[in-house]
Amino acid sequence: MRSAFKFFCILSLSVLSFFSCEASVRGGSMDDVEVEIYDSSSWNGADSVVSDPELGSLVFQTPAAQDEEIFYIITLDDGLIEKELGSSKVIVFKNLAMKNYELTCHAYSEDGTLLASGSSSVMIESGKTNSLNLVLHRVHSDVTYTISVGSFANGNVSASRTDASAGSLVVLTVEPNAGYELVPGSISVTDSDGQSILLTTLTDGVSYRFSMPESNVSVSATFQLETYKFHSTVTSVGSGYSGTAGTSGTYVYFGDWPQTIKDDSVTVDEAHSITMGGNTYYLGNDGNYYAKMNASVYSDSNYSFHDGTSITDGSQYYFKVEPIIWRVLNPSDSGEKILLAESILTSGIPFFESISTRTSGTNTIYANNYEKSQVRAYLNGLSYSNASNSTVSTYQNKGFLYSAFGESARGLILNRSVDNSLVSIYPSGTTSPAASDYTCNNTSDKVFLMSVNEVTTTSYGFSSGTSSGPARKRKSTDYALATGAYKNNNGYGWWWLRSPYQPSSTSPSPSTCAVRTCSFDGATGNPDADESGGGICPAIRVSF
C-alpha cells in the first residue's frame, strides 16, 4: 500500500535564543538573516510560536523518514545556502521580513523528476520521493522609496532602513528621553499624499511595523513627560538586606514616597511636575522625581540629613521619590500578608489636633479615639471632624493611601477590619485585661497603625512585653526629619500606635488623652494625642 504525507512549513516569530547553529550564509547579503538547524528533540517549537508570524522567523520541521531515506535541501536566494539534511530536523530562519521573500517547496524523485510543488506544503509519497527542496527567494525591486524620520523634542525614533521597495517591511523603534514617554497614538507614518500608513505595534511595546507603500514616507511622533510609574506590585528587596529583623527578615518594595535628600549634582525642573494624591513631584535631570518642601524641624533641633547636611528650619529642600521598603510580619502565612514600613516615613500629622474631648450625638469622643482620629483620616485619605466638630476634608483622596500608591497598587491593598477592642490595647498574651474607658469601634481600613498587641506579638518578629525591643526601633527618612520627626543621637525616633493609653486612674486629666507609641529604644510610650515629633510607620495588608 502506498503511503503519503504532507510536509508543512510553519511561519512564526522566533523569541528564543537558540543554542546551536549548523548553517551560515555563504556570499551575498541577506539583511542579517540567520539560519539555525536543530535535531527536533533539542528544540521546543512551542516556545517560538507567537502571535505575529509576518515579521520575524520562518520555522519548519522535516518529517521522520518513512520507508526510505529522504534528503532535505535548503536553498536560500538562488543558492546562497545549500545543505543536505536528514529527517527529524528543525530549521529556523531568523530576522526575515516575509513580504520580501517567495517561499516554495519542491518534492523530487530519485531521477530528478519534479513530483509536487507548493507554497506552504507538498505531498511526499512513499516509494517515489527522494528529495525535498525548500526555496526561499528574495523578491528584489529596482525602485526604492525614502523613509524620512524627523528630530523630536524629548525623544528619538529610528527606522530599520533609510529606504525600501514597495511591500518591504520597515520597523520603527521609539526611544524616549529619561522622564518622558511617547504620547499614545502620536506616532504616525504618512505617504507623499499625506495619507496615513497602517502601523502595527510589535510585542516589545516600543517598536512599530509598517509596509512600505509606492511612495516616500515621513515619520512623526510626540513625546510628553511620563506619567509617574509607581511600584505597583510587591517585589522582593532581595537576600542580604538587613532591616529591623536582621538579614533573616522578609522585606519587599511596594509603593513610593519621598525619602532621601536630593544629591547636589541633580537639577530639578519645576516646569515639569505631576501630582499624586496630596503630593506634587518635580522631574530631576536624573530621570527621578522629587518632592519639594520647607523644613519644619522638631523644636528647632540641630538635626542633619543622612549625608551630613544640616537641616535649617524654614529652608527649602527636595527629596527623592523612592520605593517604600516594608517588612513582612507574617511571611510564613499563606494568603494575606501584613506589611509594616521599615522607616518613619513622615511626621507633622498628630494623632489628633487637640487633647480636648468632643461629642458625637450623645457619645463622648476622646482625643485618643482611633476611629475618629486625624491620623487615620490622613492614612486612608478620609475627612474627619476636628475639635470644633467641623468636617475637615484636607486629606480626602489626598492622604497617604493616594499619595504613596497609584490606582492599580491601591487595588492590591486589602480593606480589612482593624481590631480596636480591649484586647488590642494590651500586650499580646495578656489574660483578663483591665477595662478601658477609651476603646473605640473596630474600623475598616486599607492603611492602619499598629496596636500594642500587634507590636508585642512574637510571631511577627517582635519581643514580648512593652520594654525595649530592636524590631520596634525605627529611623526617620530625611523627608520625615524635614516634616518634624524627632530623633535621638543614634537617629532613632518614636512612632504612633493606634492604641489608647489606659492610666491607672480614670479621673479626667490630660493623661486620659494619651496614645501608645513605640519609643526610640523600642519600648512603648504614652504621649498626648497632639504631641509633635511623632512619626508615622504605616501598615497594610496585601495578598501575594
Side-chain angles (χ1 to χ4, degrees):
M1 178 179 292
R2 178 175 297 172
S3 62
F5 62 95
K6 279 190 175 183
F7 169 79
F8 290 97
C9 297
I10 308 165
L11 301 180
S12 72
L13 177 66
S14 175
V15 295
L16 293 182
S17 296
F18 298 106
F19 52 84
S20 174
C21 183
E22 298 182 44
S24 60
V25 175
R26 288 194 287 110
S29 171
M30 290 296 293
D31 288 347
D32 298 322
V33 169
E34 299 174 27
V35 181
E36 297 171 339
I37 302 169
Y38 308 89
D39 291 325
S40 60
S41 61
S42 67
W43 179 75
N44 184 358
D47 287 341
S48 74
V49 178
V50 293
S51 61
D52 191 359
E54 191 174 12
L55 178 70
S57 298
L58 168 70
V59 178
F60 72 92
Q61 182 169 1
T62 63
Q66 299 297 296
D67 299 331
E68 69 287 321
E69 185 176 6
I70 299 176
F71 295 96
Y72 303 94
I73 302 173
I74 304 171
T75 301
L76 259 172
D77 209 4
D78 299 328
L80 282 176
I81 294 178
E82 287 190 10
K83 189 169 184 68
E84 293 186 1
L85 300 172
S87 58
S88 300
K89 298 288 184 180
V90 175
I91 302 95
V92 181
F93 298 93
K94 298 178 70 177
N95 303 326
L96 298 178
M98 292 306 300
K99 286 188 177 180
N100 294 92
Y101 291 85
E102 291 177 347
L103 173 68
T104 56
C105 302
H106 308 286
Y108 297 91
S109 65
E110 187 172 6
D111 62 6
T113 302
L114 178 64
L115 301 177
S117 294
S119 61
S120 61
S121 65
V122 294
M123 186 70 70
I124 299 176
E125 295 188 65
S126 179
K128 288 187 175 182
T129 303
N130 175 259
S131 65
L132 183 73
N133 187 6
L134 176 73
V135 179
L136 191 65
H137 178 66
R138 179 74 179 271
V139 179
H140 295 282
S141 174
D142 294 331
V143 180
T144 60
Y145 301 93
T146 301
I147 299 109
S148 299
V149 181
S151 58
F152 311 109
N154 306 315
N156 180 59
V157 178
S158 59
S160 58
R161 57 185 71 180
T162 57
D163 57 75
S165 58
S168 297
L169 293 180
V170 181
V171 176
L172 302 175
T173 302
V174 176
E175 299 173 292
N177 291 347
Y180 289 85
E181 63 187 358
L182 182 72
V183 174
S186 71
I187 186 168
S188 64
V189 178
T190 54
D191 64 17
S192 56
D193 294 326
Q195 299 297 311
S196 295
I197 305 302
L198 178 65
L199 277 174
T200 301
T201 305
L202 300 187
T203 54
D204 63 5
V206 297
S207 300
Y208 301 81
R209 165 174 52 81
F210 69 92
S211 178
M212 193 70 180
E214 294 182 5
S215 167
N216 296 333
V217 298
S218 58
V219 179
S220 62
T222 304
F223 295 90
Q224 65 181 7
L225 189 70
E226 72 177 0
T227 302
Y228 185 71
K229 295 176 177 61
F230 274 81
H231 289 76
S232 57
T233 58
V234 180
T235 58
S236 174
V237 172
S239 61
Y241 178 81
S242 182
T244 57
T247 56
S248 62
T250 301
Y251 308 94
V252 296
Y253 292 119
F254 186 43
D256 299 74
W257 192 252
Q259 297 179 61
T260 307
I261 187 69
K262 179 184 71 66
D263 188 88
D264 289 340
S265 64
V266 175
T267 301
V268 173
D269 183 0
E270 292 193 12
H272 293 149
S273 66
I274 58 173
T275 300
M276 296 301 300
N279 291 352
T280 299
Y281 300 143
Y282 303 96
L283 181 66
N285 64 351
D286 60 349
N288 293 301
Y289 279 88
Y290 291 82
K292 178 181 71 172
M293 68 166 302
N294 294 327
S296 178
V297 189
Y298 175 76
S299 297
D300 295 328
S301 300
N302 185 22
Y303 288 167
S304 298
F305 294 125
H306 82 286
D307 63 357
T309 302
S310 295
I311 309 174
T312 303
D313 195 62
S315 293
Q316 185 181 95
Y317 300 95
Y318 292 93
F319 301 89
K320 184 178 178 181
V321 179
E322 300 170 280
I324 301 170
I325 300 179
W326 310 78
R327 180 161 68 87
V328 183
L329 301 186
N330 55 337
S332 61
D333 290 357
S334 59
E336 294 184 14
K337 300 291 193 298
I338 304 172
L339 309 186
L340 177 64
E342 274 288 279
S343 302
I344 295 174
L345 296 178
T346 191
S347 184
I349 310 295
F351 192 90
F352 193 67
E353 62 185 34
S354 169
I355 62 172
S356 301
T357 59
R358 57 203 191 279
T359 59
S360 177
T362 59
N363 297 321
T364 298
I365 308 298
Y366 295 100
N368 55 13
N369 181 305
Y370 182 67
E371 179 189 12
K372 306 294 184 180
S373 67
Q374 181 177 344
V375 71
R376 174 176 172 253
Y378 168 75
L379 290 173
N380 292 279
L382 308 173
S383 60
Y384 71 99
S385 295
N386 63 13
S388 302
N389 272 335
S390 298
T391 300
V392 179
S393 300
T394 304
Y395 308 132
Q396 187 76 43
N397 297 331
K398 293 183 179 181
F400 180 81
L401 176 64
Y402 292 87
S403 302
F405 303 100
E407 183 176 359
S408 60
R410 292 198 298 272
L412 299 179
I413 302 174
L414 303 174
N415 192 30
R416 290 292 183 262
S417 176
V418 176
D419 183 9
N420 298 313
S421 68
L422 182 64
V423 171
S424 73
I425 73 174
Y426 286 94
S428 177
T430 300
T431 58
S432 301
S436 173
D437 300 322
Y438 308 113
T439 54
C440 65
N441 296 322
N442 290 346
T443 55
S444 183
D445 299 322
K446 286 198 169 190
V447 189
F448 57 97
L449 297 179
M450 299 291 283
S451 68
V452 169
N453 183 278
E454 289 164 339
V455 298
T456 55
T457 298
T458 55
S459 63
Y460 292 166
F462 299 112
S463 58
S464 61
T466 57
S467 58
S468 62
R472 291 190 286 264
K473 296 168 66 175
R474 291 293 186 279
K475 289 187 176 182
S476 295
T477 62
D478 289 340
Y479 180 81
L481 290 175
T483 58
Y486 165 84
K487 72 169 183 175
N488 69 359
N489 292 335
N490 294 319
Y492 291 99
W494 61 271
W495 46 287
W496 295 106
L497 301 177
R498 70 176 186 269
S499 302
Y501 173 61
Q502 177 64 44
S504 58
S505 170
T506 58
S507 60
S509 71
S511 64
T512 62
C513 299
V515 181
R516 301 309 293 269
T517 62
C518 283
S519 298
F520 52 83
D521 60 354
T524 56
N526 49 279
D528 289 341
D530 64 347
E531 183 70 38
S532 63
I536 294 179
C537 285
I540 57 176
R541 290 180 180 269
V542 295
S543 180
F544 66 93

